[in-house]
Amino acid sequence: MRYLNISKSGTWQFRYQVPPHHRHLFGERREIKRSLKTSDKAEATIKALELEVELRKTMMTPTSAVSIEKQLISPISTAKAAPIKAISPYKALERFCKYKTEHISSKAVKMLEAKCKIVLDLVGKPYLKAIRRSDAEEVASLLRNYPTNLKKHKQFNGLSGHDAIKLNKDLGLPTLSDESVKDYCQKMSGFFEWCHLNEFTDINPFKAIRFRKQRKDSEAKCAYTDTDLEKIFSAIVSTKHQHKHPYYFWLPLLAYFTGARLNELCQLYRADIFQVEGIWVIQIDDKFEGQKLKNLTSRRIVPIHAQLLTLGFIEFVQSVQHERVFPELKESRDGFGSAASKWFGRFKTKLGFDKGHDFHSFRHTVATQFKRHQVSHIVAGELLGHAQNNITYSRYGKGLDVNQLQEIINMIDTTPVSKALKSQRE
């Protein structure tokens, strides 16, 4: 059998496992190994095929007069493979981003392009094919010293990535975290994988770069404690009737009692709130104008928690004189959640919360409560819109019964809200 693998130096290697009944023709060797002396995969593939042909000829018509070494070496000198057309990294990135616009949001494309350009600037190679594994390893090390939010600091204006890193050794400003560096390299790996498939280069130098895991996935976002939640909801209910906009009151409550993402809630239409088998539900979908979903598994139905019903959420929705639940939230490039995100950022900062806590922490809090109640990850995924990562459930599984989902939703602890309401009455 024929194998192709690439060495650390970027040179392709040929390996061929000799069948047991033919090993006597090759000095009882189990495997034939040869360097193909090229970093071009297309050229290496042709050379490997020529070597395999010679090996098979030897096995079919063995002859002791001709040296097997000559048979293996001669095809290499005569091989004339068409080289991969040289293309600049930035031109390839431009094509890649154009392709990605058909699959992800414009915001995501801009972030992807910006991060890839930073890496390509640090690599500094004129041709895509010239970027090898050693370059990827080196740039991963450089990124750990790259200043965060570089464009927000005037000191770095007009500087290259390398010069910015040098300057920051004196300034001592924060640098990219290991998680950020990993994200940069993963985006580059996706870019090179596409380039490889489109034959712009012969390898993906950023593939499988290893990073030490710094923390558990469950620690990536801070969940709110009961004390945190009571502080948030006490501040909200104390001004229930003086809010500038209704979403100041309802969005945090909806986030806590549904686990939904900020934009999923901000883009709700009144028609997304309805009854199924007598149970009030919220439909997370993209069927109305302006609505967007993070991914296909985000499309779901979430029963409305009993506490929200008690607080009058249905009556509020029915009183809104607009097709959207929160018409004061205007659509922007990123959806309807921009203004709400900025408001909550100011709100939680006034309450004393640091960067580790944000609106998304409500979602993490709900997931944590499900975990404590030993709710199946299948059920939790159905309510939170997570992919199951299991072909049995993701492809063939049916949606869970709305009554089952309601039971799980109502497991979310009402104590923080109840205490806030009680203190308000007192």
Side-chain angles (χ1 to χ4, degrees):
M1 296 178 66
R2 171 171 52 85
Y3 294 91
L4 269 178
N5 64 289
I6 194 164
S7 68
K8 290 183 178 179
S9 63
T11 303
W12 286 98
Q13 309 288 322
F14 170 81
R15 297 174 62 192
Y16 187 92
Q17 289 183 352
V18 181
H21 55 286
H22 287 308
R23 288 174 185 168
H24 67 282
L25 300 172
F26 305 96
E28 297 302 327
R29 280 184 288 181
R30 295 171 175 267
E31 188 176 56
I32 304 295
K33 299 179 181 179
R34 289 289 181 276
S35 170
L36 297 174
K37 300 178 181 179
T38 180
S39 60
D40 189 317
K41 189 176 182 181
E43 184 179 354
T45 301
I46 293 175
K47 288 183 176 182
L49 288 171
E50 289 177 338
L51 286 172
E52 185 176 359
V53 168
E54 292 302 318
L55 286 167
R56 290 185 178 278
K57 283 181 180 179
T58 300
M59 288 184 282
M60 291 176 64
T61 56
T63 173
S64 58
V66 182
S67 167
I68 185 63
E69 293 297 325
K70 290 183 179 179
Q71 286 179 305
L72 292 176
I73 295 172
S74 60
I76 295 180
S77 61
T78 58
K80 294 182 179 179
I84 294 175
K85 186 178 179 181
I87 184 173
S88 78
Y90 298 101
K91 187 65 177 178
L93 179 61
E94 182 183 336
R95 296 188 186 184
F96 175 61
C97 291
K98 185 176 181 180
Y99 160 77
K100 293 296 286 184
T101 54
E102 301 174 6
H103 304 278
I104 59 177
S105 68
S106 58
K107 178 185 177 182
V109 171
K110 287 183 178 179
M111 290 178 65
L112 169 65
E113 184 178 23
K115 290 184 177 182
C116 287
K117 281 184 175 179
I118 287 172
V119 176
L120 292 175
D121 174 48
L122 290 173
V123 172
K125 293 290 182 72
Y127 299 108
L128 190 74
K129 186 183 168 185
I131 301 175
R132 314 310 291 177
R133 180 69 174 193
S134 59
D135 298 310
E137 296 284 0
E138 182 181 354
V139 85
S141 179
L142 285 171
L143 284 169
R144 292 183 175 89
N145 298 307
Y146 194 84
T148 57
N149 301 317
L150 185 143
K151 290 185 177 180
K152 292 183 179 181
H153 300 283
K154 294 181 179 179
Q155 302 97 311
F156 300 115
N157 285 353
L159 295 183
S160 67
H162 287 280
D163 290 338
I165 290 173
K166 288 179 182 177
L167 176 59
N168 198 47
K169 288 181 179 179
D170 296 325
L171 297 177
L173 295 174
T175 57
L176 297 179
S177 65
D178 282 345
E179 289 182 356
S180 294
V181 174
K182 182 178 180 180
D183 181 53
Y184 275 71
C185 290
Q186 287 177 338
K187 283 179 168 55
M188 286 299 292
S189 181
F191 165 52
F192 268 94
E193 198 65 32
W194 180 85
C195 289
H196 188 199
L197 288 172
N198 286 274
E199 301 179 352
F200 294 144
T201 188
D202 57 328
I203 64 167
N204 177 356
F206 285 86
K207 187 174 184 178
I209 290 183
R210 292 184 177 275
F211 295 87
R212 182 184 298 175
K213 200 162 188 177
Q214 299 295 316
R215 61 186 179 184
K216 296 179 180 179
D217 290 338
S218 59
E219 296 173 350
K221 281 285 184 181
C222 296
Y224 289 119
T225 64
D226 290 344
T227 303
D228 294 336
L229 292 169
E230 190 175 342
K231 181 191 292 186
I232 290 170
F233 294 128
S234 292
I236 288 173
V237 300
S238 65
T239 55
K240 179 178 179 180
H241 300 294
Q242 292 88 38
H243 288 304
K244 181 179 179 181
H245 299 295
Y247 70 79
Y248 287 13
F249 178 77
W250 288 112
L251 282 181
L253 289 165
L254 285 167
Y256 177 61
F257 286 116
T258 66
R261 301 176 179 92
L262 175 62
N263 202 58
E264 291 175 340
L265 297 171
C266 292
Q267 68 183 13
L268 287 175
Y269 277 66
R270 290 179 61 201
D272 289 322
I273 317 298
F274 54 88
Q275 286 185 305
V276 176
E277 299 178 14
I279 296 173
W280 283 101
V281 300
I282 295 174
Q283 180 173 261
I284 308 295
D285 211 328
D286 60 353
K287 63 181 181 180
F288 295 121
E289 184 180 354
Q291 290 184 327
K292 300 175 183 177
L293 293 177
K294 182 175 181 180
N295 48 53
L296 292 176
T297 58
S298 298
R299 186 175 287 108
R300 63 197 186 279
I301 284 179
V302 182
I304 297 177
H305 194 288
Q307 181 73 74
L308 288 172
L309 297 177
T310 301
L311 289 169
F313 179 63
I314 300 303
E315 290 76 8
F316 161 70
V317 172
Q318 293 174 341
S319 70
V320 176
Q321 301 298 309
H322 195 277
E323 59 183 353
R324 284 184 45 238
V325 176
F326 302 112
E328 60 272 22
L329 294 173
K330 306 303 179 184
E331 185 178 10
S332 65
R333 182 192 66 180
D334 302 327
F336 291 97
S338 295
S341 178
K342 292 176 182 177
W343 161 74
F344 189 79
R346 297 190 299 269
F347 173 75
K348 63 99 176 179
T349 299
K350 287 180 181 178
L351 293 179
F353 291 101
D354 296 324
K355 289 183 178 180
H357 292 89
D358 55 21
F359 195 90
H360 199 77
S361 295
F362 286 117
R363 183 171 169 83
H364 190 61
T365 303
V366 174
T368 301
Q369 289 200 25
F370 286 161
K371 190 173 182 179
R372 288 175 182 168
H373 283 291
Q374 298 184 335
V375 174
S376 160
H377 72 279
I378 304 301
V379 180
E382 186 85 6
L383 288 166
L384 296 172
H386 286 157
Q388 302 296 347
N389 295 323
N390 185 310
I391 192 169
T392 303
Y393 291 101
S394 62
R395 182 173 295 181
Y396 303 112
K398 303 298 181 182
L400 297 172
D401 181 80
V402 69
N403 290 282
Q404 293 176 290
L405 295 177
Q406 184 187 44
E407 289 180 15
I408 303 302
I409 278 292
N410 283 334
M411 286 183 179
I412 298 173
D413 188 16
T414 62
T415 305
V417 177
S418 299
K419 284 186 176 180
L421 291 170
K422 183 179 179 181
S423 63
Q424 175 63 20
R425 287 194 293 267
E426 293 174 353

